[in-house]
Amino acid sequence: MTIRTRFAPSPTGLLHIGGARTALFNFLFSRHHGGEYLLRIEDTDRARSTEAATQVILDGLAWLGLSPDAPPVYQSTRAARHAEIAHALLAAGQAYRCWCTPAELAAMREEAAAAGRPPRYDGRWRDRDPSEAPAGVAPAIRLRAPREGETVVADLVQGEVRVANAELDDMIILRGDGSPTYLHAVVVDDHDMEITHVIRGDDHLTNTFRQVQIYQAMGWEPPRFAHIPLIHGADGAKLSKRHGAVSVLEFREQGFLPEAVCNYLLRLGWGHGDSEIIDREAAIALFDLGGVGRAASRMDYAKLTHLNGVYLRAADDERLTRDVLERLAGRGDLALGSTAAARIRALMPGLKERAKTLVDLADAAAFLAHPIPLPMQPKAAALLTPEARLMLRDLVPALGATDFSTAALDAALRDFATATGRKLGEVAQPLRAALTGSTTSPGIDATLAALGREEALARIAALA
Ligand code: GLU
């Protein structure tokens, strides 16, 4: 049997980080088993589903490296098939037409509310003769759900969950206007897509009983279900904007690497001993649903940021340079030509050691692309005393005499410090201020070398 999973988001305008984790688990499970991972856009709510909203999901998945193995299935295109199955159930006596008016249904709900019962359909058309149908009402089709016994789901995360069938009413599968209900559409689509494992948020657990009843009525084998706990904020409440970023593209904007986000999401609610750093390849090799916990997980932004720093230091310098240039592109005060690109690339090994996010990295690299005069942070300006400026003037010939390699620059700075009776820091700090406009940067020798002879000496000359 080919293992086939799907991610089935509703296009609401963002890809929530919880949805991203659901996609990741579906992806990893299918890859682990050499199966297929599919995407279904659940766009039956036409009012809310726009092309732009779908694009946000596709972009988010692509960024995370979780694009599906086949073009997405759009649920809205399958309405005729959903109706066909509803009619097949009707023909088989597994469903029936219900001519209840909206007013009757409202009265039923009120009655239930008054008696403190959950609202449910009382089955009044289950056995009634269609010849009694009122004129002018378009009938809905309802499932003739079993009334005795239990519906049992052997969930791969939650364990065995069951409900007495007497608790479930006869749900509508096709509305009076011929449109399918959501629960029905999902079952028909999962069946037709030959989904073997439905991995989704545990907010869908109660839907599962009703969905299983549709499978049973059709004589279809249901897939295996795995309901994974939701992601909460640090305070235990459902994760929302007030906790921080929630949409995948927001994490991208804030400078997180997709592989760090995936690693973090994997570890959030799935355990493999104490290992924290699990890359994509290892995740595919190790992932199993047995490792998914049942308790809600809590989003910890500090932990994600830490992990991001780890991945940043391991990331390829060319790639980081490209990203930094893109992030700096909007800043009008910079000159972002090939010279700046080469400087940023040259200093990247030192820059990435200090950064936790790509935003930090871009901020730290900006000085390399800034034309003279550099903006000065107050702390840097304070270092450039008249005495320091005189020292910098004396330093220029010593630096100029080198080949401007990191090693030669380091030696020249040390010799200059010794010869003038200064500590290395007393030379390096004003020099750093002159070169970068700040008090922090990678090693001063590497910073000089990345700027290159002409630019470095010009920056000093502008201040000395
Ligand atoms: N469309 C549903 C959602 O976005 C998911 C349905 C499912 O996975 O079965 O929550």
Side-chain angles (χ1 to χ4, degrees), residues 168-185:
L168 303 174
D169 61 1
D170 291 345
M171 77 187 114
I172 293 180
I173 52 177
L174 203 69
R175 298 188 190 90
D177 64 3
S179 65
T181 54
Y182 168 70
L183 289 175
H184 176 64

PDB file of all heavy atoms in Angstrom, residues 168-185:
ATOM      1  N   LEU A 168     -25.180  11.489  18.130  1.00  0.00           N
ATOM      2  CA  LEU A 168     -24.973  12.171  16.849  1.00  0.00           C
ATOM      3  C   LEU A 168     -26.288  12.193  16.063  1.00  0.00           C
ATOM      4  O   LEU A 168     -26.964  11.179  15.961  1.00  0.00           O
ATOM      5  CB  LEU A 168     -23.906  11.437  16.015  1.00  0.00           C
ATOM      6  CG  LEU A 168     -22.544  11.253  16.680  1.00  0.00           C
ATOM      7  CD1 LEU A 168     -21.632  10.389  15.805  1.00  0.00           C
ATOM      8  CD2 LEU A 168     -21.882  12.602  16.934  1.00  0.00           C
ATOM      9  N   ASP A 169     -26.632  13.348  15.516  1.00  0.00           N
ATOM     10  CA  ASP A 169     -27.877  13.405  14.736  1.00  0.00           C
ATOM     11  C   ASP A 169     -27.599  13.123  13.260  1.00  0.00           C
ATOM     12  O   ASP A 169     -26.465  12.853  12.866  1.00  0.00           O
ATOM     13  CB  ASP A 169     -28.602  14.743  14.963  1.00  0.00           C
ATOM     14  CG  ASP A 169     -27.761  15.932  14.521  1.00  0.00           C
ATOM     15  OD1 ASP A 169     -26.633  15.736  14.027  1.00  0.00           O
ATOM     16  OD2 ASP A 169     -28.245  17.069  14.669  1.00  0.00           O
ATOM     17  N   ASP A 170     -28.644  13.157  12.462  1.00  0.00           N
ATOM     18  CA  ASP A 170     -28.504  12.895  11.026  1.00  0.00           C
ATOM     19  C   ASP A 170     -28.014  14.174  10.350  1.00  0.00           C
ATOM     20  O   ASP A 170     -28.783  15.100  10.115  1.00  0.00           O
ATOM     21  CB  ASP A 170     -29.858  12.471  10.428  1.00  0.00           C
ATOM     22  CG  ASP A 170     -30.282  11.092  10.917  1.00  0.00           C
ATOM     23  OD1 ASP A 170     -29.430  10.361  11.460  1.00  0.00           O
ATOM     24  OD2 ASP A 170     -31.477  10.762  10.757  1.00  0.00           O
ATOM     25  N   MET A 171     -26.764  14.208  10.026  1.00  0.00           N
ATOM     26  CA  MET A 171     -26.203  15.465   9.484  1.00  0.00           C
ATOM     27  C   MET A 171     -26.588  15.671   8.026  1.00  0.00           C
ATOM     28  O   MET A 171     -26.818  14.710   7.280  1.00  0.00           O
ATOM     29  CB  MET A 171     -24.676  15.437   9.597  1.00  0.00           C
ATOM     30  CG  MET A 171     -24.048  14.571   8.533  1.00  0.00           C
ATOM     31  SD  MET A 171     -22.288  14.354   8.746  1.00  0.00           S
ATOM     32  CE  MET A 171     -22.236  12.611   9.092  1.00  0.00           C
ATOM     33  N   ILE A 172     -26.626  16.932   7.652  1.00  0.00           N
ATOM     34  CA  ILE A 172     -26.848  17.266   6.245  1.00  0.00           C
ATOM     35  C   ILE A 172     -25.555  16.978   5.478  1.00  0.00           C
ATOM     36  O   ILE A 172     -24.464  17.354   5.930  1.00  0.00           O
ATOM     37  CB  ILE A 172     -27.222  18.764   6.098  1.00  0.00           C
ATOM     38  CG1 ILE A 172     -28.585  19.019   6.748  1.00  0.00           C
ATOM     39  CG2 ILE A 172     -27.235  19.184   4.633  1.00  0.00           C
ATOM     40  CD1 ILE A 172     -29.058  20.467   6.675  1.00  0.00           C
ATOM     41  N   ILE A 173     -25.682  16.303   4.350  1.00  0.00           N
ATOM     42  CA  ILE A 173     -24.505  16.124   3.493  1.00  0.00           C
ATOM     43  C   ILE A 173     -24.600  16.986   2.227  1.00  0.00           C
ATOM     44  O   ILE A 173     -23.587  17.423   1.688  1.00  0.00           O
ATOM     45  CB  ILE A 173     -24.243  14.633   3.142  1.00  0.00           C
ATOM     46  CG1 ILE A 173     -25.482  13.964   2.571  1.00  0.00           C
ATOM     47  CG2 ILE A 173     -23.752  13.881   4.373  1.00  0.00           C
ATOM     48  CD1 ILE A 173     -25.235  12.508   2.142  1.00  0.00           C
ATOM     49  N   LEU A 174     -25.840  17.221   1.774  1.00  0.00           N
ATOM     50  CA  LEU A 174     -26.030  18.106   0.615  1.00  0.00           C
ATOM     51  C   LEU A 174     -27.146  19.093   0.959  1.00  0.00           C
ATOM     52  O   LEU A 174     -28.244  18.688   1.336  1.00  0.00           O
ATOM     53  CB  LEU A 174     -26.418  17.274  -0.620  1.00  0.00           C
ATOM     54  CG  LEU A 174     -26.114  17.915  -1.976  1.00  0.00           C
ATOM     55  CD1 LEU A 174     -24.604  17.980  -2.221  1.00  0.00           C
ATOM     56  CD2 LEU A 174     -26.781  17.132  -3.118  1.00  0.00           C
ATOM     57  N   ARG A 175     -26.836  20.379   0.839  1.00  0.00           N
ATOM     58  CA  ARG A 175     -27.834  21.394   1.212  1.00  0.00           C
ATOM     59  C   ARG A 175     -28.939  21.495   0.165  1.00  0.00           C
ATOM     60  O   ARG A 175     -28.792  20.970  -0.948  1.00  0.00           O
ATOM     61  CB  ARG A 175     -27.162  22.753   1.358  1.00  0.00           C
ATOM     62  CG  ARG A 175     -26.115  22.804   2.447  1.00  0.00           C
ATOM     63  CD  ARG A 175     -25.625  24.234   2.689  1.00  0.00           C
ATOM     64  NE  ARG A 175     -24.457  24.204   3.567  1.00  0.00           N
ATOM     65  CZ  ARG A 175     -23.188  24.101   3.129  1.00  0.00           C
ATOM     66  NH1 ARG A 175     -22.929  24.070   1.823  1.00  0.00           N
ATOM     67  NH2 ARG A 175     -22.194  24.040   3.975  1.00  0.00           N
ATOM     68  N   GLY A 176     -29.976  22.198   0.537  1.00  0.00           N
ATOM     69  CA  GLY A 176     -31.107  22.385  -0.378  1.00  0.00           C
ATOM     70  C   GLY A 176     -30.692  23.004  -1.706  1.00  0.00           C
ATOM     71  O   GLY A 176     -31.277  22.716  -2.751  1.00  0.00           O
ATOM     72  N   ASP A 177     -29.645  23.835  -1.663  1.00  0.00           N
ATOM     73  CA  ASP A 177     -29.194  24.472  -2.918  1.00  0.00           C
ATOM     74  C   ASP A 177     -28.239  23.573  -3.713  1.00  0.00           C
ATOM     75  O   ASP A 177     -27.655  23.997  -4.707  1.00  0.00           O
ATOM     76  CB  ASP A 177     -28.530  25.821  -2.622  1.00  0.00           C
ATOM     77  CG  ASP A 177     -27.249  25.658  -1.804  1.00  0.00           C
ATOM     78  OD1 ASP A 177     -26.831  24.508  -1.516  1.00  0.00           O
ATOM     79  OD2 ASP A 177     -26.644  26.694  -1.425  1.00  0.00           O
ATOM     80  N   GLY A 178     -28.059  22.351  -3.250  1.00  0.00           N
ATOM     81  CA  GLY A 178     -27.214  21.399  -3.994  1.00  0.00           C
ATOM     82  C   GLY A 178     -25.742  21.456  -3.623  1.00  0.00           C
ATOM     83  O   GLY A 178     -24.932  20.696  -4.155  1.00  0.00           O
ATOM     84  N   SER A 179     -25.369  22.343  -2.684  1.00  0.00           N
ATOM     85  CA  SER A 179     -23.949  22.434  -2.311  1.00  0.00           C
ATOM     86  C   SER A 179     -23.646  21.425  -1.194  1.00  0.00           C
ATOM     87  O   SER A 179     -24.482  21.165  -0.330  1.00  0.00           O
ATOM     88  CB  SER A 179     -23.619  23.859  -1.869  1.00  0.00           C
ATOM     89  OG  SER A 179     -24.325  24.160  -0.682  1.00  0.00           O
ATOM     90  N   PRO A 180     -22.439  20.860  -1.235  1.00  0.00           N
ATOM     91  CA  PRO A 180     -22.087  19.862  -0.215  1.00  0.00           C
ATOM     92  C   PRO A 180     -21.744  20.536   1.108  1.00  0.00           C
ATOM     93  O   PRO A 180     -21.290  21.685   1.117  1.00  0.00           O
ATOM     94  CB  PRO A 180     -20.831  19.212  -0.793  1.00  0.00           C
ATOM     95  CG  PRO A 180     -20.207  20.307  -1.611  1.00  0.00           C
ATOM     96  CD  PRO A 180     -21.337  21.113  -2.182  1.00  0.00           C
ATOM     97  N   THR A 181     -21.931  19.831   2.198  1.00  0.00           N
ATOM     98  CA  THR A 181     -21.418  20.363   3.462  1.00  0.00           C
ATOM     99  C   THR A 181     -19.945  19.980   3.560  1.00  0.00           C
ATOM    100  O   THR A 181     -19.472  19.046   2.892  1.00  0.00           O
ATOM    101  CB  THR A 181     -22.184  19.804   4.673  1.00  0.00           C
ATOM    102  OG1 THR A 181     -22.163  18.385   4.599  1.00  0.00           O
ATOM    103  CG2 THR A 181     -23.615  20.318   4.678  1.00  0.00           C
ATOM    104  N   TYR A 182     -19.284  20.697   4.419  1.00  0.00           N
ATOM    105  CA  TYR A 182     -17.840  20.545   4.567  1.00  0.00           C
ATOM    106  C   TYR A 182     -17.446  19.110   4.951  1.00  0.00           C
ATOM    107  O   TYR A 182     -16.554  18.510   4.349  1.00  0.00           O
ATOM    108  CB  TYR A 182     -17.386  21.560   5.619  1.00  0.00           C
ATOM    109  CG  TYR A 182     -16.000  21.336   6.072  1.00  0.00           C
ATOM    110  CD1 TYR A 182     -14.950  21.590   5.209  1.00  0.00           C
ATOM    111  CD2 TYR A 182     -15.736  20.839   7.327  1.00  0.00           C
ATOM    112  CE1 TYR A 182     -13.663  21.333   5.598  1.00  0.00           C
ATOM    113  CE2 TYR A 182     -14.460  20.588   7.729  1.00  0.00           C
ATOM    114  CZ  TYR A 182     -13.423  20.834   6.866  1.00  0.00           C
ATOM    115  OH  TYR A 182     -12.153  20.577   7.249  1.00  0.00           O
ATOM    116  N   LEU A 183     -18.150  18.547   5.932  1.00  0.00           N
ATOM    117  CA  LEU A 183     -17.783  17.204   6.415  1.00  0.00           C
ATOM    118  C   LEU A 183     -17.902  16.164   5.306  1.00  0.00           C
ATOM    119  O   LEU A 183     -17.082  15.254   5.196  1.00  0.00           O
ATOM    120  CB  LEU A 183     -18.693  16.802   7.586  1.00  0.00           C
ATOM    121  CG  LEU A 183     -18.460  17.544   8.888  1.00  0.00           C
ATOM    122  CD1 LEU A 183     -19.495  17.134   9.925  1.00  0.00           C
ATOM    123  CD2 LEU A 183     -17.062  17.261   9.407  1.00  0.00           C
ATOM    124  N   HIS A 184     -18.910  16.316   4.497  1.00  0.00           N
ATOM    125  CA  HIS A 184     -19.138  15.375   3.403  1.00  0.00           C
ATOM    126  C   HIS A 184     -18.064  15.537   2.319  1.00  0.00           C
ATOM    127  O   HIS A 184     -17.498  14.556   1.830  1.00  0.00           O
ATOM    128  CB  HIS A 184     -20.544  15.632   2.832  1.00  0.00           C
ATOM    129  CG  HIS A 184     -20.879  14.790   1.641  1.00  0.00           C
ATOM    130  ND1 HIS A 184     -20.979  13.414   1.697  1.00  0.00           N
ATOM    131  CD2 HIS A 184     -21.135  15.125   0.341  1.00  0.00           C
ATOM    132  CE1 HIS A 184     -21.293  12.946   0.495  1.00  0.00           C
ATOM    133  NE2 HIS A 184     -21.390  13.960  -0.348  1.00  0.00           N
ATOM    134  N   ALA A 185     -17.781  16.775   1.969  1.00  0.00           N
ATOM    135  CA  ALA A 185     -16.793  17.044   0.913  1.00  0.00           C
ATOM    136  C   ALA A 185     -15.433  16.454   1.291  1.00  0.00           C
ATOM    137  O   ALA A 185     -14.743  15.853   0.451  1.00  0.00           O
ATOM    138  CB  ALA A 185     -16.679  18.553   0.687  1.00  0.00           C
TER     139      ALA A 185
END
